[in-house]
Every structure is written in C-alpha cells, then in structure tokens.
Amino acid sequence: DSGVTQTPKHLITATGQRVTLRCSPRSGDLSVYWYQQSLDQGLQFLIQYYNGEERAKGNILERFSAQQFPDLHSELNLSSLELGDSALYFCASSVFGGELFFGEGSRLTVL
Amino acid sequence: EDQVTQSPEALRLQEGESSSLNCSYTVSGLRGLFWYRQDPGKGPEFLFTLYSAGEEKEKERLKATLTKKESFLHITAPKPEDSATYLCAVPEGGGGADGLTFGKGTHLIIQP
C-alpha cells in the first residue's frame, strides 16, 4: 500500500460527458502528479501541483483540468470525453521531487 | 526525442534463468535514475533510485546498476512472482517540474 488513494477505481461513461477523478496523497506529501497510461503509450505526465499551486504541465489536453485543495487532495477533471480518453489515470505524490508513490489508478472507459 | 529507452520490450524466461533489463537515458546532469515495478492494472511500485555512475542497489533477486549512459536491472534466479512490467524513469527536464519521465517498460514473464 503506497498510501496514495484514488477514487473511483473504475468509471464507465459516454462520449461528450465529464468526469472527476479524486486523489488523496500520502500523509505529509505536498506534491501531486497526474499521469495517463493507455495501452499503446507509456506513462504520460499530465500535470503537477505543489502545495495548492500548479507547478508544471505536461501533455495535458485543454479539455482536462486539475486542482489541489487546501487539504492537499487533488481532482482531475476530464470533459467532452472522447473514445481516445479511455485509459488508466494515475495519481502520484512526493514530498518534493525524488521518488514518486503511485495510487492504484482510476480506469476510465469511454463508450 | 525520447529521454528514456528500455530494452527489450518483452522478455520471457524460465524460472531460475537470470537475465538483465536495460534502460538507456539521454538527459544531461542526471538527478537520479528510478526503477519501478508495475503489475497489470496496478500502480507502479517504487524499487530503487540510483544517483551516480557505479552505484548499485539490491532487493531480493533484483540488483540495479548505473553507468553514465545506462542502467541495468539484473534479475537473479527469478521466480514466477517476479513477472511484471519494469519501468525506469528520470526526472523531468526543464520547466521546473520535478516529476518523472518514464520509459515504456520491459514486460517480463517468468515461466514455472
């Protein structure tokens, strides 16, 4: 158990819809990272937050957004969903850089 | 340009047959080389961090080594439970991010 909690574990929705994925980092970790993993791609970095502030953006689509709340939990919002958005979405946390600790992921299926 | 390249993409071994996985990186000023294990449908699990050429770390049947250009994950006398995808990663380059850039992994299967 990494200590990072993600909900929901599985989500099935239709094209055009909007979903929210939630992540609670390990106790004491200030950084939260979101990654996307699809069958034909490796782990793709989406976005990072540190202590409530956006720190870095990777290959995140404009339809996707995230935020980190004062209690340090984070949410990833995916809107206008397309079939190609089906993937595993992972949240990871760290104190500040170094080793990242990953949650179990949220599997999103867009039909 | 890929910063991290892993080979082989897949490897099938018999139980007890030792081998090595390769991770080549092209970043300059390496700030750590990270190895993870990922089981199907699960999140990556941290294994090792290496910081300087010549460094080695061991955990059970796994040993990770680092040179100036690449890292190896040596698996000695593997067991079926070692079957997983092994990922290596380096810190993100530029932009102030301190996350990790991952290779595509080596899918390892250990047959009984």
Side-chain angles (χ1 to χ4, degrees), chain A residues 9-84:
Chain A
K9 293 192 187 310
H10 302 277
L11 193 56
I12 301 173
T13 189
T15 54
Q17 295 298 303
R18 172 190 171 94
V19 299
T20 296
L21 310 180
R22 193 178 192 279
C23 170
S24 294
R26 293 188 318 162
S27 177
D29 285 355
L30 299 179
S31 274
V32 170
Y33 311 76
W34 286 97
Y35 283 81
Q36 179 192 57
Q37 187 176 44
S38 53
L39 279 176
D40 57 344
Q41 298 285 332
L43 277 163
Q44 299 290 315
F45 169 66
L46 295 179
I47 196 164
Q48 178 200 355
Y49 278 80
Y50 176 77
N51 202 22
E53 300 289 327
E54 181 184 304
R55 177 167 171 82
K57 272 186 173 180
N59 299 319
I60 188 167
L61 300 172
E62 287 192 10
R63 300 184 284 109
F64 296 179
S65 64
Q67 52 185 328
Q68 186 179 27
F69 296 86
D71 66 353
L72 300 179
H73 92 271
S74 178
E75 293 181 355
L76 178 67
N77 301 295
L78 315 175
S79 62
S80 302
L81 285 168
E82 302 175 359
L83 296 178

Side-chain angles (χ1 to χ4, degrees), chain A residues 99-101, chain B residues 34-37 44-49 59:
Chain A
E99 299 90 1
L100 304 188
F101 294 88
Chain B
F34 300 79
W35 282 98
Y36 284 79
R37 168 190 171 130
E45 175 189 347
F46 171 73
L47 292 174
F48 305 109
T49 309
K59 181 179 180 180

Side-chain angles (χ1 to χ4, degrees), chain A residues 90-109:
Chain A
F90 289 104
C91 169
S93 74
S94 73
V95 175
F96 185 83
E99 299 90 1
L100 304 188
F101 294 88
F102 284 81
E104 291 294 283
S106 293
R107 181 178 294 280
L108 173 66
T109 302

Side-chain angles (χ1 to χ4, degrees), chain B residues 8-81:
Chain B
E9 289 185 11
L11 182 62
R12 187 183 298 265
L13 301 172
Q14 294 295 316
E15 183 173 1
E17 181 184 1
S18 301
S19 188
S20 297
L21 313 182
N22 177 264
C23 171
S24 300
Y25 59 91
T26 56
V27 294
S28 59
L30 186 67
R31 295 176 289 122
L33 187 293
F34 300 79
W35 282 98
Y36 284 79
R37 168 190 171 130
Q38 186 176 23
D39 292 302
K42 301 288 188 180
E45 175 189 347
F46 171 73
L47 292 174
F48 305 109
T49 309
L50 303 166
Y51 287 102
S52 56
E55 187 176 0
E56 298 183 352
K57 288 192 176 174
E58 290 188 60
K59 181 179 180 180
E60 297 181 358
R61 294 174 293 282
L62 301 177
K63 182 169 77 173
T65 62
L66 183 66
T67 72
K68 289 185 178 180
K69 296 287 187 185
E70 56 194 0
S71 178
F72 292 93
L73 185 64
H74 308 277
I75 302 177
T76 302
K79 298 181 178 182
E81 53 262 43

